Amino acid sequence: MEELILQLKQEIIRVLNLEDVTPAGIADSAPLFGEGLGLDSIDALELIVLMEKRYGIKLKDPAQGREIFTSIRVMAEYIHANRTK
Amino acid sequence: MIAIAGDNIISSLGFTAEECYRAVASGQSGVRLHRSFMGLPEPVMASTIDRERLADSFAALSPRPDGYTALEKAAILSVSSAAAQAQVDLADASVLFIFSSTKGNVHLLDETEAGFSRSHLYLWHTARLIAEFFGNPNAPLVVSNACISGACAQLAALRELASGAYRHAVVVGAEVLSRFIVSGFQSLKALSPEPCRPFDVARAGLNLGEAAATLIYRRVDKGAEATAGVALLQGAIRNDANHISGPSRTGEGSYLALKALLQEVAPADIAFINAHGTATAYNDSMETAAITRAGLSAAAVNSLKGYFGHTLGAAGVLESVISARALAGETALATRGFERSEAEHPLSVTDKNMHAHQACCVKMLSGFGGGNAALLFKKFKPR
Amino acid sequence: MPQVIRKYCHVTHRSATVNGKAFPVAEVDGEGKFLTALYRSLKIDYPKFFKMDSLSKLGFLASELILRDEEPRFAPREDVAILCFNRSASLATDALYQVTIRRGDGCYPSPSLFVYTLPNIVTGEIAIRNKFFGETSFYVCKEWDVQQALRMAGQILCDGRTRAVLAAWVECFEEACEAFMMLVDTENQPGIPPEEIAFSTSKKTTWKN
């Protein structure tokens, strides 16, 4: 799990172009949207692409993403339970 | 001010403005389910131009039909039809072409496309091909301002004709669908799997559409207003300054654009507002907020997206053509797909064609980049 | 009163000048990193910059160079318009997006690239940063024509509301970037004569047929 969390942080920094952010700078349970990393609606859509491309998880409804993308830890747990690749 | 001298629409509903207007007035839609669209995995609801009819019509117009993409053919056919009606010599230096498109021939980036040089990827090149087809000597203006392009092009016509340098402006908007455009809107989760339902409480996204549409405008000199027919009086563009792809919750830019027009017209003189009405949750809420803030919630509001889909860079021209005809015909057209408003701040969205005798109508548009536009049309009856 | 140029800047992928004077940029770290180095040298904190495509970064930086010492900054206003021109619209980003939709197993359309496949997004980015609610427009033309830009800025300044226009050429093509931006108004006569400014663009930005 810890390995997945680190990998996920690196992926998120890369696909969302979070310059000046390091994996150590993202708390595992900090909120990703609003405060925290300050991600927006396009970032959420890009995370949906990441889930599918990297982990083979297809989210049908963007609203589903809102629950999964609450923090890195929640996201990693979801990936762990549902990944197909 | 500038008056409409000729118009045309090439779309799923027909190849003339008259044909398309009649189809809309009788409630027909050109939006169809495409089970497979250019190799994309999901089915798409879209309104498309009949390619066979396009090729045949273009071959009948031009002795050299090769060398033009489908988009260029549609735009040239559209201008040709409008010009026949306007009886304007388009080769004259007093005529300015203004082209509006968001993505032009972007499909040529696809590795499976062949037969055209990459120069067709440049919007200015396509615009030149169109103007040169008619022998026009001027460098055309090309607007690429996302989904408000068609309104910006008309505002540019108003300004250029007011400057006195030209007598006529040919405003042509064109958009064809590609794997590029459709996949992009899919990635934004903006498309509805069903026919779109503008302003309806159960709306689930937009349908895309293809079209070419033309408005030929002539300058109306002071004192000659009575013979103008339907004229474009004023236009305004304002930015939300909020987000590049999400509409402002408060409708700031649309509200400011409407407010600018209201210096020229009293709400009681507005026959209808033709909204952008894409049927996405956010767009229609944003327009509802803007119209309400502008004090126009009593005005009849409609959207034409249920008939043609969202035709992007052509939408501002196409929907102005239909709205100008509806204004002349004293009709506020029905909003196809609309049944029931949201409970909060309901607008007077049309659910059937309604009589509307007032002299003015407003066309609204909004787009990515935060741009919002509003145009004010007025009909003049000869005494 | 005629419109005049009050201030201007020129940014390429290797230099930046304001009113003809070089703007110092420290530590360019590698090929294609000049815009990032310029961002750092401007000493602003705007993480959204890193999410922009090259065209938006370029236009954004040009606007920062012009507006950085304007007062008041960031007060919401409706009387500033943004009018941009270029040659290849968003083709550079279009080509990047196209890669994400290749046929077969590798088709994962990128929403964050797709939203930048419109040239006018740069006008939106500048409007958002500065809270400019005025007109924003984007035109595509074969070549930069400063007289046309001034004339069209003048038309906007006649609308009874607009008091200043940021008018610019903003072109990005592969690694080559070039922006000319000017702040145009009618108030600070006589302004900078356009003939004093070297406004010619380099002409190497064409795709081979």
Side-chain angles (χ1 to χ4, degrees):
Chain A
M1 179 59 71
E2 295 316 307
E3 197 181 321
L4 178 60
I5 284 177
L6 177 63
Q7 182 194 63
L8 192 55
K9 285 178 181 175
Q10 288 163 340
E11 291 280 349
I12 288 175
I13 288 168
R14 187 180 57 82
V15 301
L16 303 185
N17 295 311
L18 302 177
E19 188 92 9
D20 301 339
V21 177
T22 59
I26 308 175
D28 296 357
S29 51
L32 293 173
F33 290 84
E35 58 207 289
L37 285 182
L39 305 186
D40 74 357
S41 53
I42 297 296
D43 294 319
L45 293 168
E46 202 63 48
L47 290 181
I48 291 176
V49 177
L50 174 71
M51 297 284 277
E52 189 179 343
K53 194 171 170 177
R54 186 75 178 77
Y55 304 105
I57 300 171
K58 209 169 165 73
L59 301 183
K60 276 268 173 253
D61 182 3
Q64 227 185 320
R66 234 167 282 158
E67 292 159 29
I68 301 163
F69 305 148
T70 46
S71 71
I72 293 284
R73 183 164 290 281
V74 174
M75 214 176 147
E77 279 163 4
Y78 186 86
I79 291 168
H80 183 70
N82 295 280
R83 64 191 297 174
T84 61
K85 61 181 182 189
Chain B
M1 68 185 206
I2 59 178
I4 297 173
D7 62 356
N8 169 272
I9 294 171
I10 307 272
S11 75
S12 57
L13 290 177
F15 273 37
T16 65
E18 181 66 27
E19 201 183 341
C20 292
Y21 183 77
R22 280 179 196 222
V24 170
S26 65
Q28 294 174 47
S29 171
V31 175
R32 300 275 177 277
L33 181 68
H34 299 255
R35 295 202 178 279
S36 160
F37 199 91
M38 295 173 194
L40 291 168
E42 284 166 38
V44 176
M45 272 280 175
S47 148
T48 54
I49 297 173
D50 179 342
R51 290 299 200 277
E52 218 166 293
R53 185 176 174 189
L54 179 66
D56 292 348
S57 308
F58 193 77
L61 176 72
S62 167
R64 295 183 301 105
D66 296 337
Y68 296 99
T69 63
L71 175 106
E72 290 155 3
K73 285 178 182 174
I76 289 168
L77 267 178
S78 179
V79 171
S80 166
S81 156
Q85 193 188 345
Q87 298 190 312
V88 179
D89 176 12
L90 299 185
D92 198 88
S94 66
V95 179
L96 175 68
F97 275 68
I98 306 175
F99 179 58
S100 158
S101 185
T102 67
K103 295 311 310 164
N105 290 312
V106 75
H107 61 279
L108 297 179
L109 283 176
D110 196 313
E111 72 273 21
T112 63
E113 291 284 340
F116 288 96
S117 85
R118 289 203 146 191
S119 52
H120 291 263
L121 283 166
Y122 293 96
L123 292 172
W124 54 264
H125 179 81
T126 287
R128 283 186 176 206
L129 285 179
I130 298 165
E132 282 167 8
F133 183 92
F134 298 96
N136 188 271
N138 301 311
L141 274 183
V142 183
V143 185
S144 194
N145 213 10
C147 297
I148 70 169
S149 298
C152 303
Q154 293 177 67
L155 183 55
L158 186 64
R159 288 170 176 169
E160 293 293 343
L161 295 187
S163 77
Y166 304 98
R167 282 212 71 82
H168 288 90
V170 177
V171 178
V172 53
E175 208 76 60
V176 293
L177 293 180
S178 54
R179 197 176 149 84
F180 188 107
I181 290 175
V182 174
S183 66
F185 278 91
Q186 284 176 333
S187 81
L188 297 179
K189 313 279 181 211
L191 299 185
S192 168
E194 308 285 330
C196 70
R197 306 184 64 176
F199 293 103
D200 193 90
V201 66
R203 66 189 181 273
L206 59 82
N207 303 145
L208 289 166
E210 307 187 308
T214 303
L215 278 165
I216 298 184
Y217 280 107
R218 65 182 170 86
R219 192 172 72 212
V220 178
D221 296 321
K222 277 220 182 331
E225 290 87 351
T227 61
V230 176
L232 174 60
L233 292 193
Q234 194 54 266
I237 302 169
R238 294 290 184 271
N239 203 288
D240 286 332
N242 174 62
H243 192 272
I244 57 165
S245 62
S248 145
R249 298 286 166 111
T250 55
E252 202 62 30
S254 272
Y255 159 68
L256 291 172
L258 286 172
K259 209 174 84 170
L261 295 191
L262 286 172
Q263 297 181 335
E264 310 272 334
V265 63
D269 293 330
I270 298 174
F272 59 88
I273 297 171
N274 176 226
H276 192 41
T278 59
T280 65
Y282 291 131
N283 176 82
D284 295 5
S285 298
M286 177 279 285
E287 285 189 298
T288 300
I291 291 167
T292 305
R293 282 178 72 189
L296 294 170
S297 47
V301 173
N302 66 11
S303 159
L304 298 170
K305 299 295 192 287
Y307 305 96
F308 298 99
H310 185 355
T311 57
L312 309 174
V317 188
L318 182 153
E319 292 168 14
S320 294
V321 169
I322 297 290
S323 293
R325 283 181 172 253
L327 184 66
E330 303 200 338
T331 306
L333 291 162
T335 303
R336 198 179 197 280
F338 169 79
E339 281 171 25
R340 205 157 51 85
S341 279
E342 281 174 281
E344 222 179 318
H345 309 299
L347 297 174
S348 313
V349 180
T350 58
D351 57 358
K352 56 180 180 297
N353 294 345
M354 288 163 36
H355 181 74
H357 67 277
Q358 295 92 330
C360 296
C361 74
V362 171
K363 169 79 205 112
M364 291 169 72
L365 287 163
S366 296
F368 287 163
N372 303 272
L375 300 173
L376 177 64
F377 293 90
K378 183 173 182 179
K379 68 178 169 216
F380 293 85
K381 287 184 189 163
R383 271 168 295 199
Chain C
M1 199 171 269
Q3 66 281 359
V4 296
I5 303 167
R6 184 145 69 78
K7 207 170 186 181
Y8 67 96
C9 74
H10 182 209
V11 182
T12 70
H13 55 287
R14 61 175 93 93
S15 69
T17 65
V18 182
N19 287 349
K21 274 198 230 143
F23 181 82
V25 176
E27 291 171 63
V28 178
D29 164 30
E31 205 41 28
K33 294 282 187 193
F34 178 77
L35 295 184
T36 303
L38 176 55
Y39 168 84
R40 304 261 187 233
S41 298
L42 280 162
K43 296 194 168 40
I44 48 181
D45 180 26
Y46 199 66
K48 264 194 248 176
F49 172 80
F50 296 103
K51 295 177 170 283
M52 298 178 191
D53 73 340
S54 299
L55 187 69
S56 285
K57 280 181 178 160
L58 178 66
F60 174 85
L61 292 171
S63 70
E64 287 296 314
L65 284 170
I66 291 219
L67 299 171
R68 57 198 291 266
D69 43 20
E70 292 290 315
E71 292 283 342
R73 195 85 206 267
F74 308 125
R77 51 196 298 183
E78 192 188 344
D79 60 356
V80 182
I82 304 166
L83 170 67
C84 290
F85 301 80
N86 83 358
R87 175 182 169 86
S88 42
S90 56
L91 267 178
T93 301
D94 294 357
L96 295 177
Y97 176 73
Q98 183 72 35
V99 173
T100 75
I101 58 163
R102 61 182 158 222
R103 285 164 208 255
D105 291 342
C107 180
Y108 296 101
S110 163
S112 59
L113 274 175
F114 183 69
V115 293
Y116 284 99
T117 63
L118 292 162
N120 65 299
I121 297 298
V122 61
T123 65
E125 293 285 13
I126 299 168
I128 292 166
R129 163 75 167 162
N130 296 285
K131 298 190 181 70
F132 290 160
F133 294 96
E135 176 166 334
T136 48
S137 293
F138 202 105
Y139 290 85
V140 176
C141 43
K142 192 176 179 189
E143 272 148 18
W144 169 231
D145 177 348
V146 67
Q147 293 303 336
Q148 170 170 276
L150 283 171
R151 191 174 56 78
M152 290 172 74
Q155 290 173 350
I156 300 174
L157 287 164
C158 287
D159 71 359
R161 189 82 182 87
T162 307
R163 297 183 61 178
V165 181
L166 270 182
W169 173 264
V170 191
E171 168 75 2
C172 253
F173 194 89
E174 296 174 346
E175 292 303 299
C177 281
E178 186 161 37
F180 279 112
M181 187 174 280
M182 43 194 189
L183 184 61
V184 179
D185 65 21
T186 57
E187 282 156 27
N188 295 272
Q189 305 287 346
I192 303 164
E195 54 274 15
E196 265 186 26
I197 307 165
F199 268 131
S200 68
T201 58
S202 49
K203 288 185 181 170
K204 56 189 172 198
T205 56
T206 304
W207 241 325
K208 289 189 185 72
N209 291 334

